[in-house]
C-alpha cells in the first residue's frame, strides 16, 4: 500500500530486465520519477519503437529494422567469407576487436536438442542454401567454446566441408594478459592441445 | 555500425537507469528483443504512464497519481503523528518493517546549501503551515544518519518545538545481527553515546 498503482506497475515492469530484482527496480523507479522523467519518456519511446520495428536481417539473421542489415548490404565487405556466431552481440564484439572484413551468419542460439533447439531453429536450412549458392568459399566458426557451441561448430563444419568450403575455428586458450595460475583447467588443456610452433 | 539505429537508440536510452553501463544496456537490449518483446512493450507503457501520470501527494509529497496518497487518505491512520523521511522509498521501508500507524512527510531530499537545496526545496513551508494547523502533536525524525540528514533533522526539530510539538529521532547504533568488530567507528560511537539502561 506504500506505492500507488502506476508506481507499482513500473516497478514490476522493470523486473523484465535481466539482473534487475525488486530493490534495483525500486531504485530505478524513484530515480526516473524524481530526477529523470525525460529519460523515462525517451526510454519508453525507444522500447516501443524497437519492440515493434526491429526484425531480423534476411541474410544474416542479426537484429535490424531494415530488410538487410548494414554489414550484409555493404559493398565493401568480402562476400566469400562468412563468420558464424551465436548472437548479435558477438557480431559487435568481433567488429570492435578485429579487422574482419567478411560477412556474418547469426545462429541466434546453439544446438541444444534437450531445449528443443535443432538445425531449423538456428536457420541452418537458410545457411545450407547459401552454401549451395556457391558464393561462400570460406567460413570461420566463432561459436562459444561450450559443449553446445562445439557441437554446433562441428555440425556447421560438416555442412560446409560437404560443399568444399574451407573451414576454420577461432583459437581458444589462455586469454591475453591472463595468468596461467588462475586459468581454468579446461582452457589450459585446450591451450596445450592447440599449441603452435614458436618462431 | 554493428547495430541498427533502433537497436542503438534503445541501448543508449537504457543508460538512463541507475547502475546500467554500456555492457548491461547491450545485454538488456538483446534479452528484450530476442526473448521478451511483450515485456518490452509492457515496460514502455508503464514508463510512459508513470512519467506522465505520477505527481506528488499534496499532503505528504510522496509519489502518487492521486491528489492525495493512499496513506494520507486512509481514515485508519493516526493524524496527530507524523514521520519525517527523506524519500518515498523510506516510506515503503518503514511500512514494511514496523507497525507505524501515523502519517508521513516526504522531504524528497535533505538540506544541502552547496547543492542549492534549502528549506523551500524540501517543502518545509508546507510542513510549517501543517504544524501551525495544530493537528500534528508528535513527529518522528527518520532522516538518514548523514551530516545533511542530521542537519535536516535539527532544522525540522526546531520548527516543531517552536509549536510545542513532541519530537523524537529514530535510534542509530549497531544493526541487529551486526558484529561489533565490523561496525564502522561512527556507528559504534553513536551506539555508545545513545546507550540505554539495561533492564
Amino acid at each position: 500500500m506504500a506505492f500507488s498503482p502506476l508506481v507499482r506497475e513500473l516497478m514490476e515492469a522493470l523486473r523484465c530486465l535481466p539482473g534487475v530484482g525488486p530493490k534495483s527496480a525500486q531504485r530505478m523507479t524513484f530515480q526516473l520519477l524524481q530526477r529523470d522523467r525525460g529519460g523515462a519518456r525517451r526510454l519508453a519511446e525507444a522500447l516501443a519503437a524497437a519492440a515493434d520495428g526491429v526484425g531480423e536481417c534476411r541474410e544474416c539473421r542479426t537484429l535490424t529494422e531494415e530488410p538487410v542489415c548494414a554489414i550484409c548490404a555493404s559493398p565493401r565487405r568480402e562476400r566469400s567469407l562468412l563468420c558464424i556466431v551465436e548472437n548479435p552481440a558477438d557480431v559487435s564484439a568481433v567488429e570492435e576487436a578485429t579487422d574482419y572484413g567478411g560477412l556474418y551468419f547469426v545462429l541466434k542460439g546453439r544446438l541444444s536438442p534437450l531445449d528443443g533447439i535443432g538445425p531449423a531453429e538456428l536457420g541452418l536450412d537458410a545457411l545450407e542454401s547459401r552454401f549451395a549458392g556457391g558464393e561462400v568459399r570460406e567460413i570461420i566458426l566463432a561459436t562459444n567454446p561450450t559443449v553446445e557451441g562445439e557441437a554446433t561448430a562441428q555440425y556447421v563444419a560438416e555442412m560446409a566441408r560437404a560443399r568444399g568450403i574451407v573451414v576454420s575455428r577461432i583459437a581458444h586458450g589462455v586469454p591475453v594478459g591472463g595468468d596461467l595460475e588462475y586459468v581454468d583447467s579446461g582452457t589450459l588443456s585446450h591451450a596445450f592441445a592447440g599449441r603452435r610452433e614458436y618462431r
Side-chain angles (χ1 to χ4, degrees), chain A:
Chain A
M1 275 303 284
F3 301 119
S4 67
L6 286 185
V7 175
R8 219 156 43 217
E9 171 64 25
L10 177 52
M11 280 178 197
E12 273 158 36
L14 282 164
R15 300 283 304 277
C16 76
L17 298 173
V20 176
K23 272 282 171 196
S24 323
Q26 187 174 314
R27 198 159 57 94
M28 287 173 171
T29 298
F30 289 123
Q31 160 77 13
L32 290 175
L33 293 180
Q34 291 193 275
R35 292 194 204 92
D36 195 11
R37 298 219 178 194
R41 288 196 189 93
R42 187 180 158 214
L43 178 54
E45 279 159 28
L47 279 164
D52 294 336
V54 174
E56 63 179 40
C57 171
R58 73 168 176 240
E59 295 199 3
C60 75
R61 292 172 35 107
T62 197
L63 291 166
T64 178
E65 61 268 26
E66 306 293 337
V68 173
C69 76
I71 292 177
C72 289
S74 167
R76 269 171 300 175
R77 311 289 298 211
E78 177 54 68
R79 308 196 76 81
S80 66
L81 186 57
L82 203 60
C83 177
I84 316 288
V85 296
E86 290 184 19
N87 292 304
D90 302 334
V91 173
S92 137
V94 174
E95 286 290 294
E96 274 168 32
T98 73
D99 58 353
Y100 175 70
L103 301 178
Y104 294 90
F105 188 86
V106 182
L107 300 168
K108 294 193 159 181
R110 58 205 105 174
L111 287 177
S112 181
L114 291 178
D115 301 320
I117 301 174
E121 283 70 29
L122 303 184
L124 294 188
D125 39 353
L127 187 60
E128 177 71 52
S129 52
R130 196 146 164 195
F131 287 170
E135 195 182 46
V136 179
R137 279 199 297 268
E138 182 176 348
I139 65 169
I140 298 173
L141 297 163
T143 55
N144 291 321
T146 57
V147 174
E148 290 100 338
E150 275 312 332
T152 311
Q154 279 293 345
Y155 192 98
V156 174
E158 273 165 42
M159 276 169 53
R161 281 193 205 105
R163 301 274 176 190
I165 294 167
V166 177
V167 179
S168 64
R169 177 104 173 92
I170 57 165
H172 298 116
V174 180
V176 176
D179 194 328
L180 273 202
E181 192 178 348
Y182 299 111
V183 162
D184 66 291
S185 58
T187 299
L188 198 52
S189 105
H190 243 295
F192 263 71
R195 71 190 181 277
R196 297 208 194 171
E197 198 185 338
Y198 195 63
R199 279 181 270 226

